């Protein structure tokens, strides 16, 4: 047994008698969805605490006690508090018994490779997808001004990120990141990020994903490997997608623009 496995075993034993894991999340948040899906796929018993971003609940003093940076997701496990989704996923994979090794390998070399993907994610794909979707779709739908320069820069970074995933991170015989045959926390985290592109206009989404066939297959494989939880957790995103798709029809009616803004604010 490796040292990592021994430590995980000790942690699992120390969890006996703790209160149920609490996950603070808003399912419109990509990191929140990754954490929730991971818990569901691995049978981790938890209580979901909704933090409504649209109501600015993440900015309250109460939530700051859990996450001083006031972002999602965050967890409370007994007396232990943790934020940043990658750190949360690593903790869950190590602290809860029964999580398969492929999610977060005990092997140091494989684990280090996975860390490289996770670190790359935040400064590339995360920044690109979130900035582009926010400024081209979400803010206009809510009637707020957007930053077109930021959107243009994010567009370039998004294309670059997708190209890197296609040509480098998906290089190998397996269908998942790093050429692996089974999904990891990195696959789940990055695919949840890309799912945010679902709210884009269909032509715009195709413009980004169309050229990258391996990326499309990878998304499909990750979705299937975490079924049915993947689709269930992303259901809120699909509802927003439909509202945005029907926006022109709604605006044709009196008060349509205000109606969609009100509905989106309840979801975003």
């Amino acid at each position: 047994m490796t040292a990592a496995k021994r430590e995980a075993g000790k942690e699992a034993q120390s969890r006996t008698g703790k209160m149920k894991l609490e996950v603070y999340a808003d399912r419109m948040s990509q990191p929140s969805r990754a954490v929730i899906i991971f818990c569901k796929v691995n049978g981790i018993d938890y209580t979901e605490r909704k933090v409504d971003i649209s109501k600015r609940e993440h900015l309250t003093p109460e939530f700051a006690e859990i996450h001083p940076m006031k972002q999602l997701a965050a967890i409370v496990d007994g007396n232990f508090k943790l934020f940043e989704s990658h750190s949360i996923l690593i903790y869950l994979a190590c602290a809860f018994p029964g999580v398969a090794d492929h999610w977060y390998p005990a092997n140091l070399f494989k684990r280090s490779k996975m860390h490289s993907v996770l670190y790359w994610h935040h400064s590339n794909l995360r920044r690109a997808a979130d900035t582009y979707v926010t400024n081209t779709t979400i803010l206009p739908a809510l009637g707020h001004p957007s930053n077109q320069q930021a959107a243009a820069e994010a567009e370039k970074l998004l294309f670059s990120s997708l190209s890197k995933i296609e040509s480098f991170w998906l290089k190998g015989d397996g269908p998942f990141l790093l050429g692996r045959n089974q999904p990891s926390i990195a696959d789940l985290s990055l695919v949840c990020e890309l799912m945010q592109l679902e709210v884009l206009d269909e032509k715009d989404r195709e413009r980004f994903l169309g050229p990258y066939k391996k990326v499309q297959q990878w998304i499909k494989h990750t979705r299937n490997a975490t079924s049915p939880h993947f689709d269930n957790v992303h259901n809120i995103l699909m509802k927003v997608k439909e509202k945005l798709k029907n926006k022109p029809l709604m605006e044709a009616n009196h008060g349509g623009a205000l109606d969609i803004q009100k509905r989106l604010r309840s979801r975003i």
Side-chain angles (χ1 to χ4, degrees):
M1 180 182 290
T2 66
K5 288 293 186 182
R6 285 195 296 271
E7 288 301 314
K10 291 178 182 178
E11 178 59 35
Q13 290 178 359
S14 69
R15 293 199 72 265
T16 303
K18 280 188 178 181
M19 295 175 64
K20 185 189 293 187
L21 173 73
E22 295 178 300
V23 177
Y24 291 78
D26 184 329
R27 294 191 181 196
M28 276 303 296
S29 153
Q30 304 92 302
S32 293
R33 294 196 300 268
V35 171
I36 292 170
I37 292 169
F38 184 85
C39 287
K40 288 181 176 295
V41 169
N42 289 286
I44 296 174
D45 191 20
Y46 73 99
T47 298
E48 185 175 341
R49 304 295 187 192
K50 173 70 180 293
V51 181
D52 195 328
I53 295 176
S54 70
K55 296 179 181 177
R56 302 172 70 83
E57 291 177 355
H58 60 301
L59 301 179
T60 63
E62 292 79 13
F63 184 65
E65 291 293 321
I66 297 166
H67 191 339
M69 309 302 174
K70 301 178 180 179
Q71 297 175 329
L72 296 171
I75 64 169
V76 175
D77 189 22
N79 294 322
F80 180 64
K81 300 174 183 177
L82 186 65
F83 49 87
E84 291 296 333
S85 61
H86 292 167
S87 297
I88 292 171
L89 291 169
I90 290 170
Y91 172 77
L92 296 176
C94 294
F96 286 80
V99 176
D101 185 73
H102 65 82
W103 286 109
Y104 187 63
N107 180 279
L108 177 61
F109 299 110
K110 293 180 179 179
R111 182 175 287 192
S112 297
K113 286 285 189 180
M114 189 175 299
H115 285 175
S116 68
V117 182
L118 295 172
Y119 294 145
W120 176 87
H121 169 215
H122 266 307
S123 57
N124 292 274
L125 182 62
R126 170 71 175 156
R127 182 158 60 94
D130 184 58
T131 303
Y132 184 82
V133 171
T134 297
N135 283 283
T136 63
T137 305
I138 303 301
L139 290 178
L142 294 174
H144 298 317
S146 61
N147 187 330
Q148 292 305 306
Q149 181 179 349
E153 293 173 356
E155 179 177 347
K156 294 178 182 178
L157 183 57
L158 183 51
F159 273 119
S160 174
S161 298
L162 288 166
S163 178
K164 290 291 192 302
I165 295 172
E166 179 91 0
S167 63
F168 182 73
W169 294 120
L170 287 174
K171 185 167 58 178
D173 297 330
F176 297 101
L177 294 172
L178 302 171
R180 293 165 58 84
N181 291 315
Q182 294 177 294
S184 70
I185 60 173
D187 293 281
L188 183 57
S189 188
L190 271 66
V191 169
C192 282
E193 193 73 62
L194 284 174
M195 285 300 292
Q196 206 74 357
L197 301 183
E198 287 288 337
V199 303
L200 297 177
D201 174 86
E202 200 64 36
K203 290 182 179 179
D204 204 18
R205 182 176 179 275
E206 178 62 23
R207 183 170 64 91
F208 282 114
L209 294 178
Y212 304 106
K213 304 305 179 185
K214 290 174 70 175
V215 170
Q216 293 179 52
Q217 286 300 309
W218 164 60
I219 293 173
K220 181 180 179 180
H221 284 301
T222 303
R223 182 177 185 173
N224 290 340
T226 54
S227 177
H229 308 295
F230 189 94
D231 286 345
N232 291 340
V233 173
H234 279 90
N235 184 51
I236 185 173
L237 193 67
M238 298 301 105
K239 289 181 178 179
V240 169
K241 177 181 180 178
E242 285 304 308
K243 291 186 176 99
L244 290 168
K245 184 178 179 181
N246 295 327
K247 182 179 179 182
L249 178 62
M250 295 177 70
E251 289 182 336
N253 301 319
H254 293 295
L258 292 175
D259 183 49
I260 191 170
Q261 289 174 19
K262 181 179 179 181
R263 294 189 183 191
L264 280 172
R265 283 195 182 98
S266 71
R267 292 287 182 239
I268 297 173

